[in-house]
Amino acid sequence: MEMIPLKPARKAQLEAYARSRGQDLATALDHALATYFEWEQQECREALKGIRKGYEDMKAGRTEPAEEAFEALRVKHRIPR
């Protein structure tokens, strides 16, 4: 197996992760990476879904002036003028 250098802090995290799951380091790392990659793919799918919805809304004329949208965000997030 090819060795991948890890920073000491990251190696300690991986060791703790493996211990907590009763796994060896390779299995724990494989599980952690698989979980991360699945999360990343899901985030990408959700972002693309949102972009497509926004594009369809724009094509259908479901828009509002930018000034109104920015004002609504400013009020919602209590951003001062």
Side-chain angles (χ1 to χ4, degrees):
M1 178 168 114
E2 183 179 337
M3 297 300 294
I4 299 171
L6 295 175
K7 294 179 180 179
R10 192 70 61 232
K11 185 175 182 203
Q13 287 176 313
L14 178 59
E15 288 169 343
Y17 181 85
R19 249 190 329 276
S20 72
R21 286 159 179 75
Q23 298 173 333
D24 60 57
L25 290 179
T27 302
L29 180 57
D30 185 66
H31 180 265
L33 287 172
T35 300
Y36 170 77
F37 289 139
E38 176 56 35
W39 171 81
E40 185 179 56
Q41 289 173 348
Q42 182 62 32
E43 288 290 307
C44 184
R45 285 189 293 269
E46 289 176 14
L48 289 173
K49 183 178 173 183
I51 291 166
R52 285 186 186 107
K53 182 184 180 316
Y55 180 69
E56 292 301 319
D57 285 345
M58 184 197 67
K59 285 188 347 184
R62 294 184 296 266
T63 63
E64 66 180 300
E67 296 81 19
E68 290 178 23
F70 289 141
E71 180 62 17
L73 287 171
R74 188 191 68 70
V75 170
K76 178 180 179 179
H77 297 288
R78 299 184 181 128
I79 300 170
R81 289 184 184 261

